[in-house]
Amino acid sequence: MKRYIKLFALPLIATAGIATTSCNLDEVNPHAGDTSIKSYETWLGLQSFCYSTLNEELYTASDWLFASEAGTDLWNAKANGNGYQSDFYYENYGTNNNSTKKLWLQCYSMVTNCNTVINEASNFMGKDAKTVELLVAETKTLRAFFNFLIVSNFGPVTLNLESSSSLTGNVDLYPTRTSEKVFYEQIVKDLTEALPVLGVEPYQNNRARVTKKTVMGLLARVYAQRAGLGSKYGDAEKYWKLAAETAEELIDNAGAYGAHLYTDIADMWSDANNRSNREALFTAVDADANSEAWAAATKRNKLLAYSAGGCYKDLFNHDPSNKSQSNYYGRMNAQTWSPSKYLLYCFNPKWDRRWEYSFIYGWSDWSMVQPGWQKYSQGQKTLTEELVRKYGIDPSHVGETINPYADCNAITSTFAGNQYPASIWPKDFVYNEPSKDEFTDASGNLDKEKYEKAVAEYIETVKGSLLQVAASSSEINQPGKSGSTKTYAIPYPIDVNDTRFNTVYVHEPLSEADKAKCRYCVVVLSDLFGSNGMPYGNTANGSENGNSPKIGNGTTDAGSSPSLHKFNWSYNGVFYGSNLQVKTGDMYIMRMAEIYLIAAEARQMLGEEGKAASHLNVLRKRAARPGANDSEWKLSKATEEDIFDEYARELCGEFSRWALLKRHNAFESRLAKYNPRAAKSFKPAYYNKPVSADFLSTILNDKEYGDNGYGAGSSGLENID
């Protein structure tokens, strides 16, 4: 369901200027746009269009993901490579960085559209005043969000409150900068004005639209980020208090705002909850393959493809790097990033289930028995002497097979082609399809009809053995359920005698006796990194001991690692037919867990470490494995290091890490410890991202405006308070 797409797509057929800009100047100038408001229906369309970049660009493409997460302590470029060296390592970082240029364009273009909706609203009050007031409140929330992205990333640039240039007749070729203080004042003003107008339930029951809980969540986030400027303005304590009080108001009165925190981490990441997630405060909604909105949706979320990978392809019967062979994982030949050593070792999987609900740590092959597309044997891999030697598997397993973990169905959707939701083969399942020998007479003649009938009957029988992913945590231990609410969240630990996996990543080495039982390659996570903490890969950039890690008795390909699966889902409605690089699940822009983190962070910064710990413990408790002792997860007080670690465990990959390090002025210290390659190139100027070169090339005062200190002249920051 993506009802807002239909709302803006249909009215704008005759006014396409709203959706596309007319010249390069309008594309990059924060005071420009191109639209014309002639009717109430067009105004409604533009208001809905103000949501569009959330799903069409920001939360479905790599640009904002890398701008918000890369260049921190959590992530490396795959194999320590050079493909995204400016994003991950600040090498050759400047005003032409594609990720930051697109962030600039997307946010400023939407701010201008929001301004037009807000400024023109009075013309339509006679149509339906209550609806207009509500939609203006929504639009102020969106404008606050986009302005927050601008100021938190780029610092004191230009605050624009003007309508688009086609309405005003003006394009500002001499823009001036606005102080961060004024930026944040306007953001808070927009949010506080929107709060009393918005409802607990979204307009038209459309989950893509913002509500009261969205505003409260954004206010807490904004206050925390503004507190990071406290050393500049002398008001850190004021804003940390506001952050704490706002977060705690939402926590203590969650029901009044329609907010909710799942009490079990399995429910947060359940595939069944993806399109109806109660913990989400703000969502970028994509279309369901069985919904009429599918035709209007852009369907471009490729974030799973940038994350998926990290496996040793010669251990598969399928080739997972072949785009036509990835019905289970999705396309796996476009991975660009991988978790840092720090991030991987943040997790203690002995008690913390966020490990498997964040990362694929056990790789496996798959079959497609349910639709009859692939035999079970096509997901089996026979271990040869060469494979056993290379991957350090005990020689006793030569000749044995590694069996598939998942079986993908093929269901025809109403609008989007085939859907491939996966079920799980039981751990000790043995597949014994009838042999042709049973239906061959003494003369060697096969009774083909009887054989094919017997095979078909057997396949129908074994379909009943497949385990379905649990819809909720309460179903996990029920008969016929897989033990997980998400296909890719593999219950921890994987047994040493489990035959369904070809590679398993472990935090600590197994005993020699246990390792000998493993039919799979056992990789200790620390073996993926050199002594400087960077992944093996490009020796010119700090990797040691050759270009690839040594696993077992052979040298294996660099870049293999656990893979983030928060952007990967497996259910009927999320697949884009044969385009296995795209999945169209809902993306969470903000969720309730972040509110607990902000509350803890703010209290810790105010010196209340015990109260900070109490907020973190709520998240740690719901992530704890059944039977875990309190001593394993419970904190009595929380330090700043605990805050950093808990944000990593809970929100890794969720577009928040760069902002967290910025507000704590922590890039130098964190990069030196956990990302030394980035530390070599990081400069204090980089606390503000570079002003877009496209924008600077179109204004007439580019030298005066400056580029934030990236070497193209003035920084532009000299006279900003």
Side-chain angles (χ1 to χ4, degrees):
M1 183 181 73
K2 192 175 183 185
R3 294 165 67 181
Y4 77 87
I5 280 195
K6 297 184 75 175
L7 282 172
F8 76 72
L10 298 179
L12 297 190
I13 292 174
T15 56
I18 291 175
T20 58
T21 50
S22 60
C23 65
N24 289 336
L25 177 63
D26 285 349
E27 289 180 356
V28 298
N29 195 299
H31 279 197
D34 185 12
T35 186
S36 179
I37 301 297
K38 298 178 180 178
S39 70
Y40 180 55
E41 289 72 21
T42 301
W43 183 85
L44 288 175
L46 180 58
Q47 196 279 335
S48 292
F49 183 71
C50 290
Y51 284 91
S52 62
T53 197
L54 299 176
N55 180 66
E56 292 183 20
E57 287 290 346
L58 284 173
Y59 290 90
T60 57
S62 64
D63 309 287
W64 171 226
L65 177 65
F66 290 166
S68 61
E69 289 281 314
T72 69
D73 49 358
L74 298 190
W75 306 101
N76 299 121
K78 180 185 178 182
N80 202 16
N82 291 327
Y84 291 84
Q85 65 191 71
S86 63
D87 289 304
F88 285 90
Y89 303 122
Y90 303 101
E91 295 165 1
N92 302 316
Y93 191 46
T95 59
N96 277 307
N97 176 269
N98 191 58
S99 297
T100 55
K101 286 202 307 184
K102 288 187 70 174
L103 177 63
W104 177 280
L105 170 60
Q106 290 156 18
C107 289
Y108 267 120
S109 64
M110 283 301 151
V111 164
T112 302
N113 289 328
C114 289
N115 293 343
T116 302
V117 170
I118 295 166
N119 296 342
E120 294 293 302
S122 60
N123 298 333
F124 307 106
M125 284 295 182
K127 298 286 186 179
D128 184 348
K130 287 188 176 180
T131 297
V132 172
E133 289 173 356
L134 177 65
L135 295 182
V136 167
E138 283 188 12
T139 311
K140 286 183 177 180
T141 303
L142 293 173
R143 180 169 71 177
F145 175 70
F146 293 124
N147 273 326
F148 174 68
L149 294 188
I150 289 169
V151 70
S152 61
N153 283 278
F154 298 102
V157 285
T158 300
L159 175 65
N160 175 34
L161 301 177
E162 297 176 11
S163 298
S164 61
S165 60
S166 62
L167 296 181
T168 63
N170 297 314
V171 176
D172 188 355
L173 297 177
Y174 294 89
T176 59
R177 287 177 176 257
T178 308
S179 74
E180 291 162 294
K181 186 175 184 179
V182 172
F183 247 111
Y184 278 99
E185 287 171 352
Q186 180 61 46
I187 291 166
V188 171
K189 181 176 184 291
D190 275 346
L191 292 174
T192 53
E193 288 177 354
L195 182 62
V197 181
L198 292 174
V200 172
E201 298 299 326
Y203 176 61
Q204 296 183 332
N205 198 32
N206 184 342
R207 69 185 187 279
R209 292 186 176 272
V210 298
T211 63
K212 283 188 183 294
K213 65 182 180 181
T214 313
V215 174
M216 288 296 289
L218 289 177
L219 273 171
R221 184 189 279 184
V222 166
Y223 286 140
Q225 201 69 28
R226 174 62 176 81
L229 296 172
S231 59
K232 181 176 182 178
Y233 295 115
D235 52 12
E237 183 176 355
K238 171 186 174 180
Y239 282 97
W240 283 124
K241 282 184 177 180
L242 284 169
E245 291 166 358
T246 304
E248 288 166 354
E249 165 67 17
L250 186 53
I251 290 168
D252 295 340
N253 299 287
Y257 296 100
H260 180 79
L261 182 82
Y262 287 114
T263 57
D264 193 310
I265 195 66
D267 294 321
M268 170 59 227
W269 295 110
S270 167
D271 278 347
N273 289 337
N274 178 248
R275 297 197 191 274
S276 57
N277 195 285
R278 296 179 64 198
E279 186 165 319
L281 301 175
F282 190 9
T283 306
V285 172
D286 211 338
D288 189 303
N290 299 304
S291 163
E292 290 183 30
W294 180 267
T298 47
K299 305 173 288 288
R300 63 178 62 181
N301 191 339
K302 297 182 179 179
L303 297 188
L304 78 94
Y306 304 131
S307 302
C311 54
Y312 302 116
K313 64 182 181 180
D314 54 351
L315 286 172
F316 284 75
N317 210 32
H318 295 100
D319 179 357
S321 64
N322 184 324
K323 66 181 180 181
S324 66
Q325 296 288 334
S326 303
N327 299 85
Y328 176 47
Y329 288 114
R331 188 166 148 187
M332 296 171 64
N333 62 349
Q335 184 193 14
T336 53
W337 67 337
S338 62
S340 69
K341 184 177 182 180
Y342 160 72
L343 176 55
L344 293 174
Y345 278 94
C346 254
F347 294 91
N348 180 352
K350 292 180 181 179
W351 70 263
D352 195 345
R353 288 178 299 150
R354 287 174 295 190
W355 169 242
E356 62 259 39
Y357 278 99
S358 299
F359 288 97
I360 297 171
Y361 74 100
W363 292 100
S364 57
D365 222 311
W366 62 93
S367 57
M368 297 189 77
V369 169
Q370 294 175 85
W373 285 19
Q374 294 178 17
K375 293 183 177 181
Y376 185 86
S377 60
Q378 288 179 265
Q380 290 180 301
K381 182 72 173 182
T382 300
L383 289 172
T384 64
E385 290 185 4
E386 180 183 358
L387 288 174
V388 162
R389 180 173 59 254
K390 180 177 181 179
Y391 290 102
I393 301 170
D394 193 84
S396 63
H397 298 295
V398 171
E400 295 179 345
T401 58
I402 300 173
N403 299 315
Y405 175 71
D407 187 80
C408 299
N409 207 343
I411 303 169
T412 301
S413 70
T414 309
F415 298 98
N418 287 316
Q419 303 293 295
Y420 308 105
S423 302
I424 306 302
W425 292 110
K427 173 178 174 291
D428 297 316
F429 176 76
V430 178
Y431 192 96
N432 286 318
E433 188 173 293
S435 169
K436 289 182 179 180
D437 292 343
E438 300 174 46
F439 301 91
T440 303
D441 61 24
S443 300
N445 298 314
L446 173 68
D447 190 328
K448 186 176 180 181
E449 182 177 349
K450 287 185 177 180
Y451 168 69
E452 290 180 348
K453 181 180 179 181
V455 170
E457 289 175 349
Y458 178 76
I459 290 174
E460 286 303 310
T461 299
V462 301
K463 285 180 184 179
S465 301
L466 285 163
L467 302 175
Q468 304 303 309
V469 175
S472 65
S473 57
S474 62
E475 291 186 359
I476 285 177
N477 295 317
Q478 291 184 13
K481 301 301 180 182
S482 71
S484 171
T485 60
K486 184 170 183 173
T487 301
Y488 305 110
I490 302 162
Y492 177 92
I494 294 173
D495 288 344
V496 294
N497 60 353
D498 198 323
T499 65
R500 299 172 299 172
F501 297 92
N502 57 46
T503 308
V504 174
Y505 294 94
V506 297
H507 283 72
E508 303 297 334
L510 300 183
S511 69
E512 289 300 318
D514 280 343
K515 187 176 179 182
K517 299 175 185 177
C518 297
R519 197 176 293 190
Y520 49 77
C521 170
V522 178
V523 182
V524 181
L525 292 172
S526 59
D527 288 343
L528 301 174
F529 302 89
S531 61
N532 64 353
M534 298 300 293
Y536 287 96
N538 190 329
T539 54
N541 291 312
S543 291
E544 297 117 1
N545 308 320
N547 290 336
S548 301
K550 186 176 182 181
I551 304 299
N553 297 311
T555 299
T556 55
D557 295 335
S560 296
S561 68
S563 290
L564 187 76
H565 64 66
K566 288 182 175 180
F567 313 131
N568 206 354
W569 309 273
S570 182
Y571 61 84
N572 186 355
V574 79
F575 294 85
Y576 188 12
S578 60
N579 187 344
L580 299 173
Q581 196 174 24
V582 172
K583 291 190 180 178
T584 60
D586 283 4
M587 295 287 293
Y588 311 126
I589 298 171
M590 192 173 196
R591 57 187 179 89
M592 193 64 182
E594 185 179 342
I595 303 304
Y596 283 81
L597 290 167
I598 291 171
E601 177 188 5
R603 289 300 175 189
Q604 193 279 325
M605 293 299 290
L606 291 168
E608 301 173 60
E609 294 187 336
K611 199 166 186 178
S614 69
H615 290 305
L616 296 186
N617 284 337
V618 175
L619 302 179
R620 293 164 72 90
K621 181 178 181 179
R622 74 165 183 167
R625 300 191 187 284
N629 294 323
D630 287 4
S631 60
E632 295 182 78
W633 58 264
K634 195 169 186 178
L635 298 173
S636 59
K637 63 179 183 178
T639 65
E640 187 178 40
E641 190 74 19
D642 291 322
I643 299 296
F644 286 136
D645 291 350
E646 209 63 40
Y647 264 96
R649 298 182 191 104
E650 187 70 36
L651 294 186
C652 60
E654 296 185 57
F655 305 85
S656 65
R657 193 64 175 186
W658 194 91
L660 175 69
L661 297 192
K662 177 176 178 175
R663 66 179 177 258
H664 285 263
N665 295 290
F667 280 103
E668 289 87 348
S669 60
R670 301 294 294 183
L671 296 181
K673 290 172 66 175
Y674 303 121
N675 191 344
R677 180 176 168 187
K680 291 179 181 178
S681 298
F682 185 84
K683 300 175 182 178
Y686 296 173
Y687 275 91
N688 291 322
K689 297 186 188 298
V691 174
S692 168
D694 293 342
F695 165 70
L696 293 173
S697 69
T698 61
I699 62 176
L700 299 180
N701 63 334
D702 56 303
K703 299 300 182 184
E704 178 185 356
Y705 195 93
D707 64 1
N708 278 355
Y710 285 80
S714 167
S715 71
L717 304 175
E718 293 84 353
N719 298 315
I720 305 297
D721 64 14

PDB file of all heavy atoms in Angstrom, residues 20-36:
ATOM      1  N   THR A  20       9.524  17.707 -11.773  1.00  0.00           N
ATOM      2  CA  THR A  20      10.818  17.816 -12.449  1.00  0.00           C
ATOM      3  C   THR A  20      11.207  19.270 -12.563  1.00  0.00           C
ATOM      4  O   THR A  20      10.379  20.134 -12.809  1.00  0.00           O
ATOM      5  CB  THR A  20      10.754  17.197 -13.855  1.00  0.00           C
ATOM      6  OG1 THR A  20       9.741  17.866 -14.610  1.00  0.00           O
ATOM      7  CG2 THR A  20      10.445  15.713 -13.782  1.00  0.00           C
ATOM      8  N   THR A  21      12.471  19.544 -12.426  1.00  0.00           N
ATOM      9  CA  THR A  21      12.932  20.926 -12.490  1.00  0.00           C
ATOM     10  C   THR A  21      13.272  21.308 -13.911  1.00  0.00           C
ATOM     11  O   THR A  21      13.593  20.475 -14.750  1.00  0.00           O
ATOM     12  CB  THR A  21      14.156  21.107 -11.590  1.00  0.00           C
ATOM     13  OG1 THR A  21      15.089  20.072 -11.892  1.00  0.00           O
ATOM     14  CG2 THR A  21      13.774  21.013 -10.131  1.00  0.00           C
ATOM     15  N   SER A  22      13.243  22.617 -14.201  1.00  0.00           N
ATOM     16  CA  SER A  22      13.333  23.059 -15.582  1.00  0.00           C
ATOM     17  C   SER A  22      14.735  23.410 -16.028  1.00  0.00           C
ATOM     18  O   SER A  22      14.994  23.533 -17.208  1.00  0.00           O
ATOM     19  CB  SER A  22      12.421  24.274 -15.774  1.00  0.00           C
ATOM     20  OG  SER A  22      12.832  25.323 -14.911  1.00  0.00           O
ATOM     21  N   CYS A  23      15.639  23.614 -15.094  1.00  0.00           N
ATOM     22  CA  CYS A  23      16.998  23.945 -15.502  1.00  0.00           C
ATOM     23  C   CYS A  23      17.965  23.600 -14.387  1.00  0.00           C
ATOM     24  O   CYS A  23      17.565  23.367 -13.259  1.00  0.00           O
ATOM     25  CB  CYS A  23      17.108  25.430 -15.850  1.00  0.00           C
ATOM     26  SG  CYS A  23      16.833  26.527 -14.451  1.00  0.00           S
ATOM     27  N   ASN A  24      19.238  23.559 -14.707  1.00  0.00           N
ATOM     28  CA  ASN A  24      20.228  23.186 -13.713  1.00  0.00           C
ATOM     29  C   ASN A  24      20.238  24.126 -12.523  1.00  0.00           C
ATOM     30  O   ASN A  24      20.468  23.710 -11.395  1.00  0.00           O
ATOM     31  CB  ASN A  24      21.618  23.140 -14.349  1.00  0.00           C
ATOM     32  CG  ASN A  24      21.767  21.961 -15.277  1.00  0.00           C
ATOM     33  OD1 ASN A  24      21.060  20.966 -15.117  1.00  0.00           O
ATOM     34  ND2 ASN A  24      22.654  22.062 -16.245  1.00  0.00           N
ATOM     35  N   LEU A  25      19.978  25.401 -12.776  1.00  0.00           N
ATOM     36  CA  LEU A  25      19.983  26.360 -11.681  1.00  0.00           C
ATOM     37  C   LEU A  25      18.935  25.984 -10.658  1.00  0.00           C
ATOM     38  O   LEU A  25      19.189  25.977  -9.455  1.00  0.00           O
ATOM     39  CB  LEU A  25      19.716  27.767 -12.215  1.00  0.00           C
ATOM     40  CG  LEU A  25      19.620  28.879 -11.163  1.00  0.00           C
ATOM     41  CD1 LEU A  25      20.942  29.016 -10.426  1.00  0.00           C
ATOM     42  CD2 LEU A  25      19.234  30.196 -11.813  1.00  0.00           C
ATOM     43  N   ASP A  26      17.717  25.662 -11.121  1.00  0.00           N
ATOM     44  CA  ASP A  26      16.661  25.298 -10.196  1.00  0.00           C
ATOM     45  C   ASP A  26      16.985  24.004  -9.454  1.00  0.00           C
ATOM     46  O   ASP A  26      16.535  23.786  -8.343  1.00  0.00           O
ATOM     47  CB  ASP A  26      15.336  25.123 -10.948  1.00  0.00           C
ATOM     48  CG  ASP A  26      14.737  26.465 -11.341  1.00  0.00           C
ATOM     49  OD1 ASP A  26      15.231  27.481 -10.850  1.00  0.00           O
ATOM     50  OD2 ASP A  26      13.781  26.478 -12.142  1.00  0.00           O
ATOM     51  N   GLU A  27      17.751  23.127 -10.086  1.00  0.00           N
ATOM     52  CA  GLU A  27      18.060  21.857  -9.447  1.00  0.00           C
ATOM     53  C   GLU A  27      18.973  22.017  -8.243  1.00  0.00           C
ATOM     54  O   GLU A  27      18.918  21.236  -7.311  1.00  0.00           O
ATOM     55  CB  GLU A  27      18.727  20.909 -10.445  1.00  0.00           C
ATOM     56  CG  GLU A  27      17.758  20.391 -11.501  1.00  0.00           C
ATOM     57  CD  GLU A  27      18.438  19.459 -12.468  1.00  0.00           C
ATOM     58  OE1 GLU A  27      19.660  19.279 -12.350  1.00  0.00           O
ATOM     59  OE2 GLU A  27      17.755  18.917 -13.345  1.00  0.00           O
ATOM     60  N   VAL A  28      19.828  23.016  -8.258  1.00  0.00           N
ATOM     61  CA  VAL A  28      20.829  23.090  -7.207  1.00  0.00           C
ATOM     62  C   VAL A  28      20.672  24.282  -6.290  1.00  0.00           C
ATOM     63  O   VAL A  28      21.307  24.350  -5.254  1.00  0.00           O
ATOM     64  CB  VAL A  28      22.256  23.094  -7.798  1.00  0.00           C
ATOM     65  CG1 VAL A  28      22.505  21.818  -8.556  1.00  0.00           C
ATOM     66  CG2 VAL A  28      22.471  24.299  -8.720  1.00  0.00           C
ATOM     67  N   ASN A  29      19.829  25.268  -6.652  1.00  0.00           N
ATOM     68  CA  ASN A  29      19.714  26.471  -5.838  1.00  0.00           C
ATOM     69  C   ASN A  29      18.728  26.258  -4.716  1.00  0.00           C
ATOM     70  O   ASN A  29      17.581  25.886  -4.955  1.00  0.00           O
ATOM     71  CB  ASN A  29      19.261  27.651  -6.704  1.00  0.00           C
ATOM     72  CG  ASN A  29      19.489  28.979  -5.990  1.00  0.00           C
ATOM     73  OD1 ASN A  29      18.924  29.198  -4.929  1.00  0.00           O
ATOM     74  ND2 ASN A  29      20.318  29.827  -6.568  1.00  0.00           N
ATOM     75  N   PRO A  30      19.117  26.451  -3.467  1.00  0.00           N
ATOM     76  CA  PRO A  30      18.202  26.186  -2.352  1.00  0.00           C
ATOM     77  C   PRO A  30      17.045  27.157  -2.265  1.00  0.00           C
ATOM     78  O   PRO A  30      16.171  26.978  -1.435  1.00  0.00           O
ATOM     79  CB  PRO A  30      19.104  26.294  -1.126  1.00  0.00           C
ATOM     80  CG  PRO A  30      20.237  27.141  -1.555  1.00  0.00           C
ATOM     81  CD  PRO A  30      20.450  26.829  -2.998  1.00  0.00           C
ATOM     82  N   HIS A  31      17.006  28.170  -3.119  1.00  0.00           N
ATOM     83  CA  HIS A  31      15.876  29.090  -3.130  1.00  0.00           C
ATOM     84  C   HIS A  31      14.970  28.865  -4.334  1.00  0.00           C
ATOM     85  O   HIS A  31      14.128  29.698  -4.624  1.00  0.00           O
ATOM     86  CB  HIS A  31      16.372  30.545  -3.170  1.00  0.00           C
ATOM     87  CG  HIS A  31      16.769  31.042  -1.825  1.00  0.00           C
ATOM     88  ND1 HIS A  31      16.917  32.370  -1.547  1.00  0.00           N
ATOM     89  CD2 HIS A  31      17.030  30.396  -0.673  1.00  0.00           C
ATOM     90  CE1 HIS A  31      17.276  32.527  -0.278  1.00  0.00           C
ATOM     91  NE2 HIS A  31      17.363  31.338   0.254  1.00  0.00           N
ATOM     92  N   ALA A  32      15.178  27.772  -5.076  1.00  0.00           N
ATOM     93  CA  ALA A  32      14.481  27.666  -6.342  1.00  0.00           C
ATOM     94  C   ALA A  32      13.687  26.387  -6.463  1.00  0.00           C
ATOM     95  O   ALA A  32      13.885  25.423  -5.766  1.00  0.00           O
ATOM     96  CB  ALA A  32      15.480  27.759  -7.495  1.00  0.00           C
ATOM     97  N   GLY A  33      12.787  26.386  -7.401  1.00  0.00           N
ATOM     98  CA  GLY A  33      11.997  25.223  -7.755  1.00  0.00           C
ATOM     99  C   GLY A  33      11.248  25.571  -9.023  1.00  0.00           C
ATOM    100  O   GLY A  33      11.567  26.528  -9.694  1.00  0.00           O
ATOM    101  N   ASP A  34      10.181  24.834  -9.329  1.00  0.00           N
ATOM    102  CA  ASP A  34       9.423  25.179 -10.513  1.00  0.00           C
ATOM    103  C   ASP A  34       8.037  24.565 -10.362  1.00  0.00           C
ATOM    104  O   ASP A  34       7.858  23.364 -10.516  1.00  0.00           O
ATOM    105  CB  ASP A  34      10.108  24.642 -11.769  1.00  0.00           C
ATOM    106  CG  ASP A  34       9.383  25.102 -13.032  1.00  0.00           C
ATOM    107  OD1 ASP A  34       8.535  25.996 -12.918  1.00  0.00           O
ATOM    108  OD2 ASP A  34       9.686  24.553 -14.099  1.00  0.00           O
ATOM    109  N   THR A  35       7.080  25.343 -10.014  1.00  0.00           N
ATOM    110  CA  THR A  35       5.730  24.816  -9.833  1.00  0.00           C
ATOM    111  C   THR A  35       4.717  25.931 -10.009  1.00  0.00           C
ATOM    112  O   THR A  35       5.062  27.102 -10.048  1.00  0.00           O
ATOM    113  CB  THR A  35       5.580  24.170  -8.441  1.00  0.00           C
ATOM    114  OG1 THR A  35       4.291  23.559  -8.365  1.00  0.00           O
ATOM    115  CG2 THR A  35       5.692  25.194  -7.337  1.00  0.00           C
ATOM    116  N   SER A  36       3.479  25.569 -10.119  1.00  0.00           N
ATOM    117  CA  SER A  36       2.414  26.563 -10.229  1.00  0.00           C
ATOM    118  C   SER A  36       1.182  26.006  -9.548  1.00  0.00           C
ATOM    119  O   SER A  36       0.704  24.929  -9.912  1.00  0.00           O
ATOM    120  CB  SER A  36       2.127  26.851 -11.705  1.00  0.00           C
ATOM    121  OG  SER A  36       1.077  27.785 -11.819  1.00  0.00           O
TER     122      SER A  36
END
